[in-house]
Amino acid sequence: MATVPRPGAYACGIEAAMDVIGGKWKVLILWALEKQPCRFGELRRLVPGVTEKVLTSHLRELEGDGIVHREVYAEVPPRVEYSLTPLGTSLNAALGPLGDWGREHLLGGGEQAPVESTGRAS
């Protein structure tokens, strides 16, 4: 993923945003960092199921995209914390309505029938 895409690289804003947050884990990482900075181990606990390799890779990508800030403290033992940048905070705010939609329509908070894995309403 490039931090600064070339002009015309995306057909629309959704495509550009999905390039940054694509995949199963990135949105969950952003959600976990919403309230406070976290160390790597804390993130692993807050995002159950993610492997160390994938978490490391996604954090590097999000850092490269300017979404996550990595702070290394000169301590013994070394301490590293991850936090959202202002750009990451604005992205999380944009994802809020998506979470609201999921709660309302897929987690039983709304009146519409849930969507099955086939993509059809039951």
Side-chain angles (χ1 to χ4, degrees):
M1 257 178 251
T3 303
V4 179
R6 66 187 188 287
Y10 302 109
C12 67
I14 295 286
E15 184 182 3
M18 291 304 297
D19 189 35
V20 174
I21 61 166
K24 178 178 180 178
W25 303 108
K26 286 185 181 178
V27 173
L28 298 176
I29 293 166
L30 293 175
W31 177 81
L33 290 172
E34 175 68 22
K35 294 198 182 344
Q36 65 186 19
C38 292
R39 295 175 74 173
F40 187 85
E42 292 174 286
L43 281 173
R44 285 236 20 229
R45 285 188 292 279
L46 290 171
V47 184
V50 68
T51 65
E52 271 189 45
K53 179 180 177 180
V54 169
L55 181 57
T56 299
S57 171
H58 284 348
L59 285 168
R60 285 182 184 149
E61 290 173 9
L62 289 166
E63 183 182 10
D65 288 332
I67 304 298
V68 168
H69 172 70
R70 181 177 185 262
E71 182 76 32
V72 180
Y73 295 91
E75 299 175 355
V76 177
R79 177 171 58 114
V80 176
E81 285 186 344
Y82 297 91
S83 60
L84 293 177
T85 63
L87 188 61
T89 301
S90 71
L91 179 56
N92 250 3
L95 292 170
L98 184 61
D100 294 342
W101 185 91
R103 275 188 296 283
E104 182 178 342
H105 298 287
L106 302 177
L107 296 178
E111 295 180 19
Q112 292 185 350
V115 178
E116 296 177 359
S117 60
T118 61
R120 297 185 202 123
S122 52

